[in-house]
Amino acid sequence: MQTRRERILTYIKEHSSQVSQGFTTAELVVALDLVRSNVSKELNVLVREGLLVKSKGRPVRYQLQGQGKSPKQVVTPKQAEKQVGGQDVAPSDDVFEKIIGRKGSLKTQVEQAKAALLYPPHGLNVLITGPTGSGKTYFANAMYHFACSNGIIKAKQPFTTFNCADYAHNPQLLMSHLFGYVKGSFTGANEDKDGLIQEADGGMLFLDEVHRLPPEGQEMIFYFMDHGTYNRLGETAKTHHADVRIVCATTEDPESSLLSTFVRRIPITIQMPSFKQRTMRERLGLLRHLLIIEANRIQKNITLNENVVQALLGSVTYGNVGQLKSNIQLVCAQGFLNNMQNQTEIQITFDQLPPNIKDGLTLLANNRKELGELTQLLEPTMTIYPDNDTKVIDSTGGYELPYNLYEIIGDKAAVLKNEGLDQEAINNFILTDINVHLKTFYRGAKIAQAEDNLNEIVDQEIIDITKAIMTELTTNYDYALSSNFLYAMSLHISSFIKRVQLGRPLRAVSSDIVEMVKAYPLEQKMAGRVKELLEEHYHFPVPESEVYYLAILLVSLKSSPASGQVGIIVAAHGKSTASSMVQVVEQLLSADNLRAFDMSLEMSPQTALAGIAQEVRELDRGNGVLLLVDMGSLSTFSERLTKETGVQVMSLDMVTTAMVLEAARKTTLIDRDLDAIYKELREFNGYSRQIEPPKKELTEKAHHLVLGDKRPKVIVAICSTGEGTAKRIKEMLDRILIDNLVDDILVEPISVVGMEEKIAQLQQKYRVIAATGITQPKLDVPFVSLENLLQGGGEQFIKVIENIDEPLFEKTASLEESDTLTEEMASQYLEQYYTFLNPVKMVKVLWDYCDYLDRRLDFEINNAMRISLIMHLGGAIERNLLNSSLTITKQEEAAAKADSKYELVVQANGIITEALNIELSLAEVYYLIKLIDTQAANL
């Protein structure tokens, strides 16, 4: 078998007669299906060996030694002079072909970009979305290069960049930068000045963080998009004209962060994938590309072993490609310093890596699937050679250093050597300096954005006190803050204050936690100081138990998360509901134990179960998985997932972004098991937004009412069997009660069979305060039908029963509403409450079933009865699928067969048998007859 070098040389020999001008690296990559960096490396070796020669122009071409004249670029002299952003770009050169992922995760994005740029007559405006560091600015630069090389934009026309976040707190200044201003329009406007739009005339304007543009600015931009005219600040008439292609970028959801009128003006939205959404081959390609850039800067080979590659790829937790770039710059700078005496190569070893990058190896090892994919692609040693073909397209992005770090290192090393320092002292001095340079540069933008995002979740007051705590710990305790300290501590304080506001009982401290904290005396001491700062600020006592939880938090924020972390899967209905929550949390916290599962409305529960089971297997680190879901069938998966995967899974429903944040925060704490996290999240009530004094609500009259009837309060949920629909109603009301912080009301499911006797038995122990379900009992209490409950009446229901003891409470006979019922609505109810049914296929059958009865009964089936029948039949079918049939007595069997509606129900059941091949049992027939009788009695 030929080596890679031999394959390249053989191909050139065989095809050189057909290609007189020589071959480019890109052409050989496509022809031989090899990695670009490897092809470039081998070509340079062949040139050094004298077997090939290469051209001096762009693109570089290679041909056999002595084959005609030296290869030249096939362009006209005029084209050869074109410069794009200070770099040569041939008109025939497609810059997108150089982008890693162009045929994979970025295939659609590249096609969208080309379509937008080439669309006649003047192209289409574009919005690029994606998380921080995913390459939005890089991609916008690539669009500009493509436009220039294809004559869409003249090469000398500008690529203008403006970050709307820079002046977000001063809208007037922001607008003046964009549109310009006239003399006297504001204090300090001493002369007329053009804005960036005029400067970008004929070129491209890139608006980064466009969601920070105020509404009036968005309106002016979309007016400009429509008409090509605008007015400067201080003018009324739109007299200025400019021809500008606009590309915007945002890390936020456009639908919620931008005006709908603005979004409608941008017909193409390009979603950039996060680093974790890239294939492992693409991630490795990105790493090679970034290393080549560093090799070009220092003009030395860079050698690193397999562990270093894995650590670098695993170290990307929050900043995507941008974070990878900064980490590579750091380790290359350290490698350069350690190998200054070597004129041709720098070696990077695992032992030399900073601790946070070393941790990347552990993080990657926790994902067995990804580690396996990477291992197949890696060789024991990777050597990167300088490659002049590789150019930096984007030199304006937030992750591009504004100085040559290697020159700084060389200059300082020379100065220190002249001062008489030995090599070890020089290395220690400069390594510290490198860290200061890089951390200062990268942390600035990251912290600013982090605080802006955090302010949307908790009050600024809490952020301020957290900053004071940070200052105290770093100043007086030499505590090394982790990158997400501001978030984690702010959320912890906010959650604690919310518990105090709601009067929740304080958390007990187990002996295990006390023993654990004893091993960290410094953190315990710091936690005591944090307690004092909180008491001084909020003027209420903080319990001693909170000191232990604060100490655990401080330990976890100082040390790296250990293996065995509880995994978190967010599963929700919709195309991107779960992904959006996870994306927000991953951006806010450096969490690597999160997965999202988006369940489309067309997806069957079985498919969803299989997909989530796969996620559980991949995410498990030996301590179980927490499943956070929105509603419906997803909430019933935990037991089956545990059985199928062998991994302990516990689920919580009604998930919100705040809940995912709290879950991620809790799973980072040391020695936290799944059960403890699950129990604490069940009591989670969101983050505090405003601190209010406790309210004195108990009036004398109300106190008298409570003393008058001490029985526990209960709501009865009624269905035909007391098993299926009634239990679903109970689950729904339990969730609503919890969400409304009502913890003194029970929900009891009962059957219409023997309903009155059962209610009488309940009244001996309980005070029945309300009823819901398929029929209204003879009770003078509020009632809501099943139909109304499913259509959102539950919240109104709770509001009524919450005030059951108020003196001015007026008894309500019914909360019925006459909302229109459709097949689509019935399908949604089935999907929400049953796990193993396909509602799209099922609802038509059940609707026909109801129509069949409606035509043959001597009364009309109303909406309430129709939804009761559909929900009951859904439960009957699911019971059949699960072999969990109902049972009845011999007397009840005889009563069913003797009933006048028996034959009608059996005939109607034939519709289900024919369509679904399911036979309903005699017990199901009995309860269907009872359901029809109950509904008829209420008409």
Side-chain angles (χ1 to χ4, degrees), residues 750-801:
I750 65 173
S751 168
V752 293
V753 180
M755 177 178 66
E756 294 181 0
E757 292 83 355
K758 179 63 176 176
I759 290 176
Q761 292 174 6
L762 285 173
Q763 287 178 317
Q764 294 177 10
K765 294 183 179 180
Y766 301 98
R767 179 181 170 202
V768 180
I769 61 168
T772 182
I774 64 172
T775 186
Q776 183 173 356
K778 295 178 181 178
L779 290 171
D780 190 16
V781 296
F783 172 77
V784 60
S785 72
L786 176 61
E787 175 198 13
N788 182 246
L789 185 68
L790 293 174
Q791 294 178 4
E795 296 292 343
Q796 182 186 358
F797 193 36
I798 294 300
K799 288 178 183 176
V800 172
I801 62 175

Side-chain angles (χ1 to χ4, degrees), residues 712-716 745-746 767-771 780-782 797 801-802 804 809:
K713 290 178 281 190
V714 69
I715 301 169
V716 290
I745 299 176
L746 304 174
R767 179 181 170 202
V768 180
I769 61 168
D780 190 16
V781 296
F797 193 36
I801 62 175
E802 270 189 307
I804 197 78
F809 172 71

